Each structure stands twice: as C-alpha cells, then as structure tokens.
Amino acid sequence: MTIAVMETFSELSLKEVEFKPLEDQNEGHHEDPPPPLDCWDFSVAVAGGPGVGKTVLIQALLGFNENGHNSRAAFLHPNKPDGPLLYLHPSHPGLTFWELPLDDGSPEKWITEADLLLLVTDAQFTQAHVDLALSALSQAKRLCLVRTKVDCDLHTLKRRMKEEYSRVEVLSALRKVVLMPFNNVAKKEALPLFLMSGFEPYKLDVPSLKAKIEKISKELGRALCLAQQGYEVIGYEEIAELQSALERGGISEMVRFIQSSLDSLLDTRFDLALMGGNPGFRHSILNSLRGLKDGEDGSAHGGNPENPIEYASLKYPKASLWDLPGMESLESQPKKYLESVHMNRYDFTLLFLTPWQEASSSYRSLVLELKKEGKKSVFIQDCEDDEMPPGPRENEVFVLSPAKLPGPEFHRLLGYLEKNLPSHKLRAFMLSLPNLSAEVIEKKKEALSQEVWKVALLSSLVASVPFPGVAIACDLSLLTARLDTYRQELGLDGDSLANLSHKSGVPVPKLMLEIQSPAGKGVTRELVQKLLGSATGIGLEVAGVFLHKFPLLGPLATGGIAFHASYLVLSRCLEAMAEDAQRVLSRAQSPA
C-alpha cells in the first residue's frame, strides 16, 4: 500500500485502500456477511484568520473545555506543518474538524470536501469571508458564522456604558453589526450567527452551535452527537507517547507500550464505600448495585458492621463495594474515623442520610476531611417508596429508592460520576454494574470502546513483527478473547442470561431470541476470521490517524490482520452486541 500526499478530506478516510481478505479454511462455503452498521464520516471546515480563536472553538465543540478530563484535542498535520490541522472527536472518530487558514483563499480547495463550513472572526467579517461564504453556498455547502471573544466586547461596553449597559441589548446590537457585511447574502440565504466567549468558550451560543451541527448532520442523513461521554478514543498525549516509543525502539517498543497501556486499563481497580443512614436501606442499594435482591445468598444484610466489609462485584473482578461502620464514638473526630476505615482504599464514597434528614455537622466535617485527602463523595438520601421529595436537588445530594432503582436520580448520579471520576476509574465502575437500564448498557458500551483502538493496533502490529513464540494466530486469539469479554460484560453469556431469567421470570430461550448479532450469539475464531475477511476498503478516520502519523505502519498494516479491519470488526461487534443487550433487557422488563 502506498500513501500519497493528501490533498482532500476524502483521502484521509482510506476509501481507496484495498487489502487481501484472509483465506477462510472452508473456502467455497462462505455465508453472506452481515450488513454493515452505519459508520458515518462528517467533516467540518473551520476557517478564519490567525489568532481569532479557531482552536478554542473546535475544542469547545469537542467538549475539551468543559471538564478536566480532556485538555487538548487529538490532532495532526496531515499535509505539511503550516497546512490545515485535523481534530478528531474523542468519542466519534468519524466526526472530524479541520482548522483552515483564511490567507490567499487557501480554504477553497478544502471546502469542496467539507459537509459544513464555519467562518470565524474575532472582529468584523471582511470581504474575504463574504467571498468564501458565496463560494461555499454556490457548492450547496452548509454555512455558519461564528464571532469569537465576545466577552471582551461586553467587558469594554459595560465599563463605558455604566448604568445604561444592558447585556441583552448589547448582544442584539452586536449581532446586527457583525452581520452587516453579509446583508446582500442574507437576502437570499439565512446565515446563522453564533457568539462565543473567549474566557468561557462553552457558554453563550456554543451549545446552540453544537445543536445546529447535530441538526445538519441529521438532515444530511448522517446523524451525529457532539455530546462528550467522558471516554477518549485517541488522546493527543497517547499519540505523542506512541510516537516516542516508535522512535526509541521501533515497532517492538510500540507493541510493549500499547500492551502496557492496555494492561493498565484492564487492571484498574474501583472501590466504592457506602456509609451512614439506615443500614437496611444502604444494604438494599448495595445489593442492587451488585445485581442481587435482598435476602439472596451473598447479599448484604444486618446492622452496621464493626469493620469494613468487602462485597466484590459479580460482574467485574477488579471492583468492590464496601459497607463501612458508623462513626459513633468518633463522630467528633472525622480524621480518626477515616483512618479507622482505611479511607485511602476507596475511590468514591456514598454518604447515606435517613428520610428528610439533612447532613449533620459531623457529616460536613467528614466531607471536608475527604476533600483534603483528595477523595470525592456525595450524599444519598433515603426516601419512602412513593414519596420522592419535590423541588430541585443539590448537585451533591441524590434521592434514591430501592423500589425505583435505577430511575432519574440514579442516572443523575451516574452523570455526576462521569464528570468527577478519571475515565479509567469510571470505566471500571460502569463495567461493575448489572444491566439496570438502557442508559447503563449504553455507558458500558462507551466504556468498552475506550480500548478498541489499542486492541486493534496491538493485533495488527503483533502480526507484522516476528516475536519469539508469537504467530499470526495470536491476532485471532486476541480479537476473539476481547470480543468474548465484551459479550460477557454486556450480559449476553449463558450465566448472565440465566441470572436475568431467574430475576425476571422470562425463560432463557425467549431472552436468547432477542440476540440477533452473530457475535452476541457466540464468539469463535471462525466468526472473527470471516468478519475480518469482509472488512475491506472501509473509510475510517482512526486508521488515517495512525497511517499518516506513523508512515512506518503503512506497509505493515497490509499484512496479517490490518489495523483498520480489526478496528472495524471490534467496534461494529461491540455496537451490535450493545443493541442485543438493550433488546434482552427490554424483553426481561416486559415478561407478558
């Protein structure tokens, strides 16, 4: 395979790439491959002069400015150092943003390949912007205007206008002034304008711009979601580390780095502490989080323990829930209490309150001590089954009822954890949960997708380098093993179905009827080989990143099991098995 200098968006997607399918041992007896799942490519060109805030805008649209998990987008120079920059969405590798300079009309040749053009300025739009807009509209391209650094204008006008200052009126006037150069264009075509703050780039009109991009993608038949899920597919830091490993010791060092990174991800522990409140209620929540009913073998019961009791997750061997003793005599000494229960062991703490109880001063002191230790916690308030307290909730208080679990409050708690746990810890917690709801299954899928590119790249590299005692068969073994793990994590294996049948009363055969994907029914080496053989010539931006960032991988990826084929099989099977799990859960919840 040869990789030419890239001149258009489409060349990055490798749509012209071909590689030889693996030979099936039963040649001549192929079944028709399953229909491909949708894998949309959607390109957004972001054009503007230097220093206008294009990078900040793109990062805001990617969600990197809203939390500390992602401080920088994954990007590369696909052509030359002073050329356009490509940014990948951390959860949706098919969605790409291109940062383009405005000088000398250079964006012209790129716009033909873009689905949407964002014209950006931090002052007034010029004739160059208007000309580019007319060119895009003549090609039937979608167009949005973005005015950045609006907070500077607001600050200046507030200081000058003093009592006469009205934020609403100033923003309205600013919109009219900014759009003036497009007055003639606007008579024929409505041009949406979005205002962005430089200091808080994810506020003002950026949420509306995200919604607009999602709407346009849907109108074009390629519906996408810009919501950041907390899981990063390919991070800039990891690309830099891969490059460093490649330079230090070639492909063999790269393999060791990926294996170490993957092992670290798969070996992550998560320990959740539960303390306080009514022991019976606390134990009911603990049991629900383990997929057990009160009174079942292995369930938590009784009063407050004298010492912390560990309850291992039944779904994920690296996760445990801990039932902690009450504070009692140490109520006025929170620091001593934390030492007595080995608080350093736990990643997160649920502090339980009895119905209608507010957090006591000792609880507040405990929270302060936890914060000093860098530990996070939330309050869980007990409520009667049919008496959910009205009104808004505090950000760190969640009202749960075992009879209504999971429910809206539980999903709100999951959202809080997404924002406050490191992604590897969040992954371990999500995989420790039973399939409580459709939302939980979706988050499990997102958590598992975090590793897909590493498994795919490791598989293709191992096949390409002669390691002692390692044959090409290792590729199939690795992919088969991981897909089988996905099947278990999503509750499609025999034991999981038997447990669900026991709890729901729906016979296992009826649950199995809802499993439609080949991998969901059972993962074998033969199935994986067949799927790999059909995964050719597919446009994948993720493959493009590696093949252009690391040219040495180009020829290697054509031999054995290619990276882009492995990635495609893993991601498609994961998506299909998650849909199977959703159908199985729906069937279990409606046994009639």
Side-chain angles (χ1 to χ4, degrees):
M1 179 175 66
T2 59
I3 301 177
V5 176
M6 186 177 56
E7 293 296 337
T8 63
F9 294 133
S10 58
E11 288 184 44
L12 180 65
S13 65
L14 307 181
K15 290 178 179 175
E16 303 303 321
V17 171
E18 296 180 357
F19 80 87
K20 185 179 179 180
L22 293 175
E23 295 182 2
D24 196 301
Q25 293 176 349
N26 299 314
E27 187 175 356
H29 298 280
H30 291 286
E31 296 179 10
D32 291 333
L37 300 175
D38 293 335
C39 185
W40 304 131
D41 296 338
F42 190 85
S43 296
V44 181
V46 182
V52 300
K54 299 188 296 293
T55 301
V56 175
L57 170 63
I58 292 172
Q59 292 187 344
L61 292 173
L62 291 170
F64 294 130
N65 300 86
E66 298 183 49
N67 57 63
H69 295 309
N70 302 297
S71 59
R72 194 172 181 186
F75 70 87
L76 69 154
H77 294 281
N79 194 342
K80 52 186 179 178
D82 59 346
L85 275 175
L86 163 66
Y87 292 80
L88 300 175
H89 192 285
S91 301
H92 306 284
L95 173 60
T96 53
F97 288 83
W98 292 83
E99 182 180 327
L100 308 175
L102 192 65
D103 303 338
D104 303 324
S106 57
E108 285 280 357
K109 65 178 180 180
W110 298 89
I111 290 175
T112 58
E113 296 291 336
D115 297 294
L116 169 65
L117 171 63
L118 303 184
L119 279 179
V120 186
T121 186
D122 61 353
Q124 188 74 323
F125 286 106
T126 65
Q127 189 59 43
H129 293 101
V130 175
D131 293 342
L132 196 56
L134 289 171
S135 175
L137 292 174
S138 69
Q139 300 176 53
K141 300 297 180 181
R142 303 300 180 92
L143 173 68
C144 293
L145 306 177
V146 181
R147 170 60 154 81
T148 62
K149 304 181 184 179
V150 171
D151 47 330
C152 297
D153 299 276
L154 295 179
H155 178 74
T156 300
L157 291 171
K158 186 175 182 178
R159 188 179 69 250
R160 291 179 178 176
M161 297 175 69
K162 298 181 180 179
E163 300 85 20
E164 297 180 2
Y165 174 81
S166 168
R167 179 184 173 90
V168 174
E169 293 179 2
V170 167
L171 287 175
S172 177
L174 181 60
R175 291 180 192 276
K176 293 178 181 178
V177 171
V178 171
L179 283 172
M180 284 178 62
F182 291 95
N183 283 344
N184 291 333
V185 181
K187 293 177 182 178
K188 300 178 182 179
E189 184 89 22
L191 296 180
L193 171 67
F194 299 88
L195 304 181
M196 187 183 103
S197 165
F199 182 68
E200 295 179 304
Y202 50 90
K203 293 189 176 180
L204 280 180
D205 291 344
V206 167
S208 299
L209 179 55
K210 284 185 177 183
K212 181 68 174 179
I213 295 173
E214 291 174 0
K215 181 180 179 183
I216 291 173
S217 70
K218 186 175 181 180
E219 291 171 352
L220 295 178
R222 287 168 281 166
L224 293 166
C225 177
L226 283 174
Q228 172 61 274
Q229 306 297 337
Y231 301 104
E232 189 173 24
V233 174
I234 305 176
Y236 172 81
E237 291 79 8
E238 285 186 303
I239 286 182
E241 289 171 348
L242 282 170
Q243 181 72 62
S244 176
L246 185 63
E247 293 169 355
R248 284 197 312 272
I251 299 298
S252 59
E253 182 64 25
M254 204 171 183
V255 168
R256 277 188 284 270
F257 171 79
I258 299 168
Q259 184 65 66
S260 175
S261 176
L262 191 58
D263 288 344
S264 176
L265 183 67
L266 301 182
D267 289 340
T268 298
R269 276 204 60 81
F270 183 79
D271 293 279
L272 178 69
L274 299 86
M275 64 160 291
N278 183 315
F281 169 72
R282 187 175 73 245
H283 292 155
S284 290
I285 296 295
L286 190 154
N287 293 333
S288 295
L289 294 178
R290 297 179 68 227
L292 294 175
K293 293 181 179 179
D294 292 345
E296 281 192 86
D297 290 344
S299 63
H301 60 278
N304 286 321
E306 293 184 5
N307 297 297
I309 298 179
E310 179 181 8
Y311 293 90
S313 166
L314 302 179
K315 292 290 298 177
Y316 189 76
K318 299 289 183 179
S320 293
L321 291 82
W322 295 79
D323 187 27
L324 302 189
M327 296 183 70
E328 299 172 350
S329 60
L330 295 177
E331 188 170 351
S332 61
Q333 299 174 286
K335 190 171 183 177
K336 277 194 174 182
Y337 171 77
L338 295 180
E339 292 173 355
S340 71
V341 297
H342 312 291
M343 189 55 72
N344 286 336
R345 172 190 293 154
Y346 316 118
D347 298 294
F348 204 88
T349 303
L350 304 182
L351 303 171
F352 284 78
L353 303 171
T354 54
W356 317 111
Q357 173 193 353
E358 293 186 358
S360 63
S361 59
S362 59
Y363 253 19
R364 297 292 183 187
S365 299
L366 187 68
V367 171
L368 290 176
E369 286 296 329
L370 286 170
K371 288 182 177 178
K372 288 180 184 177
E373 298 293 328
K375 299 291 183 179
K376 294 185 179 294
S377 63
V378 295
F379 292 106
I380 304 297
Q381 190 169 54
D382 184 358
C383 77
E384 302 299 330
D385 290 349
D386 298 317
E387 293 189 34
M388 191 73 73
R393 315 271 184 266
E394 292 184 36
N395 287 338
E396 298 180 2
V397 178
F398 301 87
V399 182
L400 299 182
S401 166
K404 294 185 177 181
L405 209 66
E409 280 289 278
F410 179 74
H411 293 130
R412 192 169 73 88
L413 173 60
L414 292 185
Y416 182 89
L417 292 173
E418 277 190 276
K419 295 178 181 178
N420 289 277
L421 284 177
S423 62
H424 62 294
K425 292 288 186 180
L426 177 64
R427 177 189 183 277
F429 172 66
M430 290 301 180
L431 296 181
S432 75
L433 295 175
N435 288 354
L436 295 170
S437 67
E439 290 87 345
V440 170
I441 293 173
E442 180 65 21
K443 292 184 185 300
K444 283 189 176 186
K445 183 196 75 175
E446 293 163 2
L448 290 169
S449 69
Q450 195 179 12
E451 69 173 56
V452 164
W453 73 267
K454 294 179 182 179
V455 177
L457 187 57
L458 184 63
S459 171
S460 60
L461 292 179
V462 167
S464 305
V465 181
F467 288 92
V470 177
I472 290 179
C474 277
D475 294 339
L476 287 174
S477 297
L478 175 61
L479 296 178
T480 302
R482 291 315 300 160
L483 285 173
D484 192 55
T485 298
Y486 299 166
R487 183 169 173 263
Q488 295 176 43
E489 300 286 10
L490 292 168
L492 300 177
D493 59 297
D495 289 343
S496 298
L497 292 175
N499 289 334
L500 183 60
S501 175
H502 173 70
K503 290 179 173 58
S504 66
V506 179
V508 171
K510 289 189 176 181
L511 295 176
M512 292 180 66
L513 289 175
E514 303 299 328
I515 302 176
Q516 300 176 9
S517 71
K521 295 176 181 178
V523 181
T524 63
R525 288 168 58 88
E526 291 72 24
L527 173 65
V528 175
Q529 189 170 11
K530 184 192 302 181
L531 294 173
L532 287 166
S534 64
T536 58
I538 302 298
L540 279 175
E541 269 73 4
V542 172
V545 169
F546 285 106
L547 296 179
H548 286 279
K549 187 69 176 176
F550 311 112
L552 181 59
L553 302 186
L556 295 177
T558 64
I561 301 173
F563 167 75
H564 64 280
S566 301
Y567 182 91
L568 188 64
V569 168
L570 288 167
S571 56
R572 282 185 173 177
C573 286
L574 177 58
E575 180 73 32
M577 286 191 282
E579 292 176 359
D580 288 337
Q582 299 280 15
R583 285 190 292 269
V584 168
L585 177 64
S586 178
R587 182 68 181 87
Q589 291 176 339
S590 53

